[in-house]
Amino acid sequence: MEGALLPISIFLLVYVALTFELVNKAVAALFGVMVLLIMHVVDEHEAMSYIDTETIMLLLGMMTIVAILRRTGVFTLLSVRIAALTKGSPLKILIFFSIVTALLSAFLDNVTTVLIIIPIVIELTTGMGLDPKLYVISQAIISNIGGTATLIGDPPNIIIGSKVGLTFNAFLLHLTLPVVICLCTGLFYLWLTNREKFRPIDTNLAKLFSVQMLLEKIRNEFLTTKIDRVFLTKGLSCLALAILLFVTQTVTGMSPGVVALAVAMLLIIITKVDVENLMEEIEWTTLLFFTGLFILVGVLEEKNVLEWIAHNVFLKVGDNPYVIVLMVLWVSGIVSGFLDNIPFTITMIPIVKLMLESTPIPNDILWWALSLGACLGGNLTMIGASANIVSVGIAKRHNIDISFLDFMKLSAVITLITLVIASILLTVFLWMSL
Amino acid sequence: MKQEDRQNLYKLFRDHGDVLGADGTARVALESFIRSIQDLRCAPEKLEELVAELIHSIKHTEPQITPLVHLIEEFENEMAGQFSTDLKATKGKITSLLNAKIDRLKDIGLQMTARGLKCIDRYDVIIVYSTSTSIRDTLVKANKIGKPFEVLILKQDFTKTRKLIWTASGEKIDHEVIPEYNLSNFITKANKFFLGSISITPDNKAVCPLGSAEVVSLCHLNRIPIYLFANSLKFSHKASGTHKIHEKRESRLDGQTSYAMTIHSHCLVDLEHVDFIVREDGVIPREEFRTRFIC
């Protein structure tokens, strides 16, 4: 670990800056990189080689596709239709919106999903005199659970998929079942602990009438753009094409990053959107943040710091595969609850690779443990995932204050339940694989 | 119905009124009534009580939506003695009576459009302030039949003006959007003002969207003819003071300054300033409607 002191110090300082939000996350990561370059710890060519272009291409491609799809208004239309289907039943609001949130966040990013869903849920629940906090928090939690199901659903999965070379189908095959079970159990817990709040309203005419008036208001308020059918057809066709190419990755040989970016470019060309305008909707900060982190972690890897951590921290528990899998799951889950799960996942990937070299575990189970831990763990606290912070922010704009404790009271128990479910499923899967 | 639920419902009525106008709100309320009756699960003997409770709430909104109150009162009279132990039959009866009210509202709307068309002359520049289905439909129809005219849309908060701007843009009506407080700079350009309302009261007042009274004053001062669109359902037999214009006192914080501010949902326009009332049965000049309708 010669010459590792400076990169370790810089890495820890960047982590502190990120955790306490001292500066913009991209600035923090890139400033760390600049210090390493100035101090000649790494040269610029070497630094560039650490960037995982596959991940960046996948993120940029998906951000572009989602930005164009959002303009069609189709997701808002879908949410308004779902609101109408609930007919104001509190339990249906929870279940129907949770299903939509889970599905959307599996294929879009979680933040986009809550930006679409939460305002409608707030309008519906406050208008009905229900407690909106319960619904806001539950949708944030569900978006994190739903995003766990696919390669493109949550940044940790994008990173794991790209850096490890796991396919879209492999994610679907291994994570759909845990996600569905976690979703159902989470909803059951929400119902069980709030049964009084989910009583039906169909025996109260005045309440039913208010709901109908409210649904009409929601239609007027949220369906503010006319759906351009041609534009919508092009957008949905391209999304379908992207998913088809993700699924047939082993046949076409096209990596998810290539698919996402190629489809995004095709979509820009056929929809003729204003590119300058579109570029403003791309989260460049996130992309630069990823770039900086890849370099910082690459330097640590180069200086054998991660190897040291793997051997002296993670592999100290021995070579029992069950213990290793559960440790990765729970450490990822708990750490992701308090720290951003993106830098954590980027840091963990080389460590997990080293652990696998030392103790081979079949069927990529250790990667699934990392994915489940990093994604589900984001639910532990309000700051554990971007979707949580954004949801609480939207609620605040509607004069609904959700405190750290309000959020955690509900989310921590669900996180523990989902991590226990993941532990059981991973243990069974490992037992079947050994 | 709990007081809190009632206040929520009244707010919903006001929100709809801001976007759709009184007739649009009445239509939404009647359709909501039908859908809620269809979704209701209750014992047959309980239905009359539940319907009565809802009717009471609808009749006492803040402010009162007079066209809706009239239609609901008619419905109430028609339903008297009609509640039976056959829940399905009673629900069917309620639905058909309410549907008839919606049809009547639509018929009146068509007649209003026909009358409104006569108020638009070639090359008119018409000021429009409030959201009103009749005014919107009239402008669309006039444009469709090729009458050349221009609309000055006075923008209030966007929610209230949004539908009007969409209609004008979507239907390619020649229009200009100006802030309501900037009307004085355009007043010499305009030659008519179309105004919507929710009630006409026997004490010579019209209950209109907030801010209408100021625009009316400016137009009246500048001798711009004011056309008040008010179908017969909007004529109330109760004085303006009983129409329960909603009043809200809220605390505000602008920069370092905190203060309390009182806001009303609607305002009263003196009918003395109105030149014509456009009803489904004709366009009535001030002198005539004073003798025909005002106490």
Side-chain angles (χ1 to χ4, degrees):
Chain A
M1 288 218 298
E2 201 179 323
L5 189 62
L6 186 62
I8 292 173
S9 311
I10 288 170
F11 186 79
L12 290 176
L13 281 174
V14 170
Y15 242 101
V16 169
L18 292 177
T19 306
F20 296 102
E21 295 179 5
L22 301 178
V23 281
N24 174 286
K25 57 184 182 179
V27 173
L30 289 176
F31 186 75
V33 172
M34 289 307 127
V35 173
L36 293 179
L37 288 171
I38 292 165
M39 302 299 285
H40 300 292
V41 175
V42 63
D43 67 51
E44 53 270 37
H45 301 292
E46 205 181 341
M48 291 304 282
S49 71
Y50 295 142
I51 300 169
D52 188 68
T53 44
E54 167 66 20
T55 305
I56 303 293
M57 282 166 72
L58 181 53
L59 279 168
L60 180 59
M62 287 312 294
M63 281 176 187
T64 309
I65 294 171
V66 169
I68 297 175
L69 279 174
R70 272 175 68 173
R71 292 177 179 200
T72 64
V74 67
F75 302 124
T76 309
L77 177 70
L78 176 71
S79 309
V80 171
R81 290 272 158 86
I82 293 297
L85 275 180
T86 65
K87 292 183 176 176
S89 155
L91 188 60
K92 281 184 184 168
I93 294 174
L94 177 73
I95 294 173
F96 289 7
F97 273 100
S98 295
I99 292 170
V100 173
T101 300
L103 281 173
L104 284 183
S105 51
F107 294 98
L108 309 177
D109 70 279
N110 299 350
V111 171
T112 300
T113 304
V114 294
L115 279 172
I116 295 164
I117 297 285
I118 300 280
I120 293 175
V121 167
I122 290 177
E123 190 68 47
L124 190 59
T125 51
T126 48
M128 287 177 59
L130 300 172
D131 175 15
K133 282 185 191 177
L134 173 66
Y135 295 87
V136 171
I137 298 170
S138 63
Q139 293 315 299
I141 293 171
I142 299 297
S143 78
N144 291 321
I145 295 177
T148 313
T150 65
L151 183 147
I152 54 171
D154 214 356
N157 284 3
I158 292 179
I159 300 162
I160 295 168
S162 303
K163 292 217 46 139
V164 183
L166 296 172
T167 63
F168 188 85
N169 288 355
F171 272 89
L172 270 185
L173 190 70
H174 293 95
L175 298 184
T176 303
L177 180 68
V179 164
V180 171
I181 295 175
C182 288
L183 183 68
C184 295
T185 316
L187 288 177
F188 179 72
Y189 171 79
L190 286 168
W191 172 79
L192 196 69
T193 50
N194 297 279
R195 266 172 296 180
E196 274 300 295
K197 293 178 182 172
F198 293 123
R199 273 187 305 190
I201 58 158
D202 57 2
T203 53
N204 184 335
L205 182 63
K207 261 265 174 359
L208 286 170
F209 176 78
S210 297
V211 166
Q212 291 299 337
M213 292 283 286
L214 183 62
L215 290 172
E216 188 60 34
K217 185 190 165 197
I218 288 173
R219 269 181 223 119
N220 280 327
E221 210 152 282
F222 288 93
L223 298 182
T224 50
T225 46
K226 282 184 183 160
I227 302 282
D228 179 340
R229 286 180 188 277
V230 179
F231 188 61
L232 174 65
T233 309
K234 288 174 183 172
L236 290 181
S237 305
C238 281
L239 182 65
L241 175 68
I243 293 170
L244 180 73
L245 290 173
F246 285 143
V247 173
T248 55
Q249 186 187 338
T250 46
V251 181
T252 61
M254 288 166 71
S255 70
V258 172
V259 168
L261 207 50
V263 172
M265 293 306 117
L266 176 69
L267 193 52
I268 290 176
I269 291 166
I270 62 172
T271 54
K272 295 177 188 153
V273 290
D274 181 342
V275 178
E276 295 298 330
N277 204 312
L278 178 70
M279 287 300 125
E280 287 174 17
E281 291 177 44
I282 304 295
E283 293 169 50
W284 296 108
T285 314
T286 305
L287 294 176
L288 291 172
F289 172 52
F290 268 75
T291 307
L293 276 175
F294 279 131
I295 298 172
L296 290 176
V297 174
V299 174
L300 290 184
E301 203 177 345
E302 180 64 26
K303 301 287 178 194
N304 298 323
V305 177
L306 300 181
E307 192 180 349
W308 184 88
I309 294 173
H311 284 117
N312 293 287
V313 181
F314 286 92
L315 290 173
K316 279 279 179 202
V317 294
D319 56 2
N320 184 326
Y322 291 98
V323 176
I324 292 175
V325 167
L326 292 181
M327 185 185 60
V328 167
L329 174 76
W330 283 89
V331 168
S332 311
I334 292 165
V335 174
S336 296
F338 295 96
L339 298 178
D340 193 333
N341 56 12
I342 295 169
F344 175 76
T345 309
I346 294 175
T347 315
M348 277 300 285
I349 284 176
I351 295 176
V352 171
K353 276 183 179 167
L354 288 166
M355 290 164 79
L356 282 171
E357 279 172 20
S358 164
T359 313
I361 294 173
N363 292 332
D364 302 313
I365 292 175
L366 210 50
W367 296 117
W368 306 132
L370 178 62
S371 163
L372 285 166
C375 295
L376 298 176
N379 276 333
L380 189 61
T381 66
M382 200 168 89
I383 56 164
S386 308
N388 304 354
I389 299 167
V390 171
S391 302
V392 171
I394 300 170
K396 177 88 182 161
R397 282 206 296 280
H398 288 81
N399 298 321
I400 302 158
D401 285 319
I402 299 174
S403 69
F404 193 88
L405 272 180
D406 284 337
F407 197 96
M408 209 170 159
K409 259 188 245 169
L410 205 62
S411 69
V413 182
I414 293 181
T415 306
L416 287 178
I417 293 171
T418 53
L419 285 175
V420 168
I421 291 169
S423 303
I424 295 168
L425 291 172
L426 286 170
T427 307
V428 172
F429 188 33
L430 184 59
W431 175 72
M432 287 164 66
S433 305
L434 287 174
Chain B
M1 199 173 190
K2 280 192 264 174
Q3 184 60 19
E4 193 188 342
D5 290 341
R6 190 167 287 143
Q7 287 307 323
N8 274 340
L9 181 61
Y10 295 168
K11 184 174 181 312
L12 274 172
F13 271 101
R14 286 195 295 278
D15 290 344
H16 277 297
D18 287 346
V19 179
L20 304 170
D23 292 342
T25 306
R27 185 185 50 75
V28 167
L30 294 170
E31 287 169 352
S32 298
F33 202 147
I34 292 172
R35 283 196 287 266
S36 51
I37 277 288
Q38 284 160 355
D39 291 341
L40 181 70
R41 284 193 313 144
C42 71
E45 60 276 13
K46 190 98 170 108
L47 184 60
E48 187 168 4
E49 185 192 322
L50 292 171
V51 169
E53 186 196 23
L54 178 57
I55 286 176
H56 181 268
S57 296
I58 291 175
K59 280 163 54 177
H60 291 85
T61 56
E62 295 173 2
Q64 276 184 18
I65 315 285
T66 302
L68 181 61
V69 172
H70 282 314
L71 292 169
I72 283 292
E73 278 173 348
E74 280 178 21
F75 164 76
E76 202 177 6
N77 291 333
E78 288 160 355
M79 272 309 289
Q82 299 282 333
F83 288 90
S84 71
T85 49
D86 184 346
L87 187 65
K88 199 176 168 190
T90 312
K91 280 185 172 186
K93 180 78 187 164
I94 291 172
T95 305
S96 80
L97 285 175
L98 291 173
N99 271 325
K101 305 295 164 219
I102 294 171
D103 290 343
R104 189 166 155 217
L105 212 48
K106 283 180 187 164
D107 283 345
I108 290 174
L110 289 173
Q111 291 169 47
M112 286 293 290
T113 309
R115 298 294 177 186
L117 272 178
K118 292 182 179 164
C119 305
I120 300 179
D121 296 312
R122 290 167 68 83
Y123 306 112
D124 271 348
V125 178
I126 304 161
I127 300 167
V128 179
Y129 176 68
S130 51
T131 301
S132 153
T133 316
S134 304
I135 295 174
R136 246 187 356 251
D137 291 350
T138 301
L139 296 174
V140 170
K141 185 84 178 169
N143 188 56
K144 277 202 173 128
I145 60 172
K147 268 192 186 178
F149 65 97
E150 189 188 338
V151 179
L152 283 179
I153 299 173
L154 301 188
K155 184 189 165 290
Q156 327 163 41
D157 73 60
F158 186 60
T159 314
K160 294 180 182 174
T161 327
R162 185 175 66 192
K163 198 129 187 163
L164 205 52
I165 296 174
W166 285 353
T167 306
S169 311
E171 298 291 333
K172 297 190 170 51
I173 296 171
D174 188 10
H175 70 284
E176 189 167 1
V177 181
I178 58 169
E180 55 178 323
Y181 51 79
N182 197 20
L183 177 60
S184 60
N185 287 318
F186 288 82
I187 202 82
T188 52
K189 189 182 173 187
N191 69 334
K192 277 174 190 167
F193 173 35
F194 283 3
L195 173 67
S197 67
I198 60 169
S199 308
I200 308 294
T201 63
D203 53 348
N204 215 19
K205 304 274 189 227
V207 182
C208 296
L210 194 62
S212 301
E214 286 71 25
V215 183
V216 165
S217 300
L218 194 61
C219 290
H220 184 69
L221 248 154
N222 286 276
R223 298 179 198 289
I224 291 173
I226 298 165
Y227 291 75
L228 178 66
F229 282 65
N231 62 44
S232 56
L233 289 173
K234 291 185 179 174
F235 283 70
S236 168
H237 43 266
K238 290 184 193 161
S240 56
T242 64
H243 279 252
K244 294 191 281 181
I245 290 176
H246 182 73
E247 183 184 326
K248 186 169 75 173
R249 195 170 162 81
E250 61 181 31
S251 46
R252 292 273 179 106
L253 179 67
D254 278 339
Q256 299 295 313
T257 313
S258 62
Y259 54 93
M261 196 163 78
T262 306
I263 309 165
H264 287 86
S265 63
H266 289 73
C267 65
L268 294 175
V269 167
D270 196 330
L271 289 181
E272 285 299 317
H273 295 154
V274 171
D275 299 278
F276 300 96
I277 288 195
V278 183
R279 285 172 45 116
E280 69 271 30
D281 52 1
V283 180
I284 302 153
R286 176 172 37 205
E287 294 70 28
E288 198 182 320
F289 73 69
R290 192 186 290 162
T291 53
R292 270 175 66 183
F293 302 111
I294 308 299
C295 298

